[in-house]
Structure formats: structure tokens, C-alpha cells
Amino acid sequence: MTDPAAFFDGIIKILFVCVIITAAYIITTKNLITLVRVYSLQSLTLAAIALALYWYEGTTILLAIAIITLVFKVILIPYFIATIQEKIRIKRDIEFHFLSPTSSLLISLALMIVIYITLSRILLDTLVKGSLFFFGAVIGISLVLMGMIVTFSRKKAITKVLGYLSMENGVLLFGLFATELPFIIEFLIVIDLVILILLTTILTVGIDSTLEEYHNRLHRFYLWEEQEESS
């Protein structure tokens, strides 16, 4: 008979590997459509982790977090970003600030090692070191820093938003394993992300345009056409 604890450990470790792979892919890829899909996969992985923790611990808040992550971060937010990407007709982000994809990935790996060593020393005499909760904290902090690297190294506004969203996923992962994360806090974070994306919609359309071009670009979002029809 399979030991439930061993089975749980194996599932979580596989999901940890998926999180790291998606984070590395977000750092290195240039295709915006692929970036959105990878972010959706990363969020789906976090939802699966929350469900696994719910199955193991039976805490209702974990089930609520898994559901809201699935609805907002796996379905609604990626769909909204993909719609923006289609409207502005930008398929690739090939320009980088300061760091290339390769150097960004190498720095991310170095930061992950530093975080692991630092937390190992802090938790040297505790039972937490070496447990899944320890690795969850390490990967959560690493994911925040990797998302920050994406935000600072990319030029396109949509890519920066995806970096910010990846940072928020890191906060969620850290909260699942290292701290208590009330449902209301996660809900407010999601609302904050939705507002951020709405603002980025306007910035993405008009940040590199003149005042004359701005009106024409807004037609792609049908914002002005509805006003003209109603008048």
C-alpha cells in the first residue's frame, strides 16, 4: 500500500520542478503568445499545489485559493492579456534592458542557490530544513526574484506585466508553505492584478504614440466606437 505522505511528497516535488521550468521559460522566451500560455501553466501548477495541500491537510482555505487561482490566473487574466496582445498586434518582445535571456537565467540560478544557502543557515537547527515547506519557501522567493528580473529586463509593457504576475505567483507559493495566507488577502491581490492589467491596456496602446495616433489605436479596443454610436 502506498504511503500517503510519500505520495504527497512526490507530487509536490514534481510540481516544484514544473514551477521552476515555467519561470525559466518566462525569462528566456520572446514569443508573447507563448509567454501568456506559460504563465497560465505556471498558475495551473500553483492551483494543483494548493489542491494537493488541501488533500493532505484538509484546510478549506487552500481549496478556495486553488479555485480562485484557477478562475482568475489560469483562465481570465491570460485570456485578457492574450486579447490585448492580439489587438496591438505585437507577437514578439526581442528588446532587452541590461540583461540578455541567457545572463538573466544564469543570475536566476545563482539567486536560487544563494536563497537556498541563506535559508539553510537560518534554519540550521530546526526541523523545517530539508522539508517540502523549506523548498516551497526557497522556490517562492526565487520565483519573486525571477519575475522581478523579467520586469526590469524587458521593454514591452505586456511582458513587464507578466513578470509582475509571476512575482505575485511567487508570493502565493511562499505563502502556501511558509506563512498563513487568508483568503481575503489573496482575493485582494487578484483584484489588484486585474486593475493593473486594465491600466496597462491604456499604457500599452498609447505609450509610444502621438495624441493623433492615440485616438486611432483606441478604436482597436472599441472604446470610442461605442461612445460615437450612443451619441
Side-chain angles (χ1 to χ4, degrees), residues 214-215 218-219 221-229:
Y214 189 67
H215 178 274
L218 285 178
H219 275 288
F221 292 88
Y222 304 101
L223 297 178
W224 287 86
E225 290 179 1
E226 293 178 359
Q227 295 181 4
E228 292 173 357
E229 290 175 1

Side-chain angles (χ1 to χ4, degrees), residues 82-128:
T83 302
I84 295 173
Q85 186 272 333
E86 182 180 354
K87 294 292 184 180
I88 63 179
R89 300 171 186 174
I90 298 177
K91 295 183 178 180
R92 293 172 62 84
D93 185 1
I94 59 176
E95 300 180 46
F96 295 85
H97 282 301
F98 311 117
L99 298 173
S100 66
T102 302
S103 59
S104 297
L105 185 60
L106 292 176
I107 291 175
S108 299
L109 293 175
L111 288 173
M112 189 177 299
I113 295 173
V114 170
I115 294 169
Y116 176 84
I117 295 174
T118 302
L119 289 183
S120 296
R121 292 182 177 179
I122 293 175
L123 304 174
L124 183 62
D125 298 324
T126 67
L127 297 177
V128 177

Side-chain angles (χ1 to χ4, degrees), residues 45-187:
T45 304
L46 292 182
I49 291 175
L51 283 176
L53 290 172
Y54 168 72
W55 170 78
Y56 188 75
E57 298 181 3
T59 306
T60 307
I61 191 174
L62 293 170
L63 179 60
I65 289 175
I67 293 174
I68 198 171
T69 301
L70 183 65
V71 172
F72 281 90
K73 299 181 182 180
V74 178
I75 300 175
L76 293 183
I77 292 179
Y79 173 78
F80 191 76
I81 295 179
T83 302
I84 295 173
Q85 186 272 333
E86 182 180 354
K87 294 292 184 180
I88 63 179
R89 300 171 186 174
I90 298 177
K91 295 183 178 180
R92 293 172 62 84
D93 185 1
I94 59 176
E95 300 180 46
F96 295 85
H97 282 301
F98 311 117
L99 298 173
S100 66
T102 302
S103 59
S104 297
L105 185 60
L106 292 176
I107 291 175
S108 299
L109 293 175
L111 288 173
M112 189 177 299
I113 295 173
V114 170
I115 294 169
Y116 176 84
I117 295 174
T118 302
L119 289 183
S120 296
R121 292 182 177 179
I122 293 175
L123 304 174
L124 183 62
D125 298 324
T126 67
L127 297 177
V128 177
K129 180 184 176 182
S131 68
L132 288 178
F133 294 91
F134 169 77
F135 289 113
V138 171
I139 297 175
I141 297 174
S142 301
L143 189 57
V144 171
L145 296 178
M146 293 170 80
M148 189 178 299
I149 289 175
V150 174
T151 302
F152 284 106
S153 64
R154 297 299 189 96
K155 287 190 175 182
K156 299 297 182 184
I158 288 185
T159 316
K160 291 180 178 294
V161 169
L162 287 168
Y164 180 86
L165 292 170
S166 184
M167 289 174 59
E168 200 277 331
N169 276 348
V171 174
L172 173 58
L173 182 61
F174 180 84
L176 287 174
F177 286 92
T179 62
E180 294 292 333
L181 186 64
F183 172 75
I184 187 63
I185 294 179
E186 179 61 11
F187 180 78

